[in-house]
Amino acid sequence: QVQLVESGGGLVQPGGSLRLSCAVSGSRLSSKAMGWYRQAAGNPRELVGAISRGGTTNFADSVKGRFTISRDNAKNTAYLQMNSLKPEDSGVYYCSMWSTTYYYGDPINWGQGTQVTVSS
């Protein structure tokens, strides 16, 4: 059974940084595309960014230049580094994984989500 467990969320001031982690069990992260989604209250879930097995990334325009995705294959863990955070970045962040090496279509595995709140 594949499990994705996020951690690292919390309260941060505007302009601050957070790093979210996604620990994967039951599957090799290195062989799949993975990504991060977020959902703000009253809004649909949106893709924040994704990374293919080969390392190709894609980010929402709203976070380009501020967020990065990385993987530690030895730890089977992925990360979302978020810098220069803005209040509109607030929401529940979900780790996700595709069944393929590229991020076509929708992911098939999801974490439980971690709350990020950007506020002074």
Side-chain angles (χ1 to χ4, degrees):
Q1 182 179 358
V2 178
Q3 286 190 315
L4 283 65
V5 179
E6 303 98 335
S7 60
L11 174 64
V12 63
Q13 292 187 341
S17 297
L18 276 178
R19 189 178 78 158
L20 305 183
S21 299
C22 175
V24 179
S25 60
S27 180
R28 288 174 54 201
L29 178 62
S30 60
S31 64
K32 306 289 176 60
M34 68 82 54
W36 292 87
Y37 286 72
R38 69 185 178 192
Q39 186 169 23
N43 290 342
R45 191 177 297 186
E46 63 174 352
L47 176 67
V48 174
I51 184 168
S52 71
R53 184 185 71 174
T56 302
T57 56
N58 180 48
F59 290 93
D61 288 343
S62 60
V63 306
K64 281 180 181 176
R66 300 188 297 121
F67 290 13
T68 58
I69 294 175
S70 61
R71 290 188 297 221
D72 185 332
N73 292 333
K75 295 182 178 179
N76 220 31
T77 299
Y79 304 95
L80 177 67
Q81 178 67 45
M82 305 184 293
N83 299 326
S84 302
L85 283 161
K86 305 175 182 180
E88 51 264 41
D89 293 318
S90 299
V92 178
Y93 281 69
Y94 298 90
C95 174
S96 62
M97 195 164 66
W98 278 258
S99 61
T100 55
T101 59
Y102 206 78
Y103 35 86
Y104 296 117
D106 296 324
I108 62 168
N109 300 113
W110 294 89
Q112 82 288 353
T114 186
Q115 177 71 45
V116 171
T117 302
V118 184
S119 175
S120 55

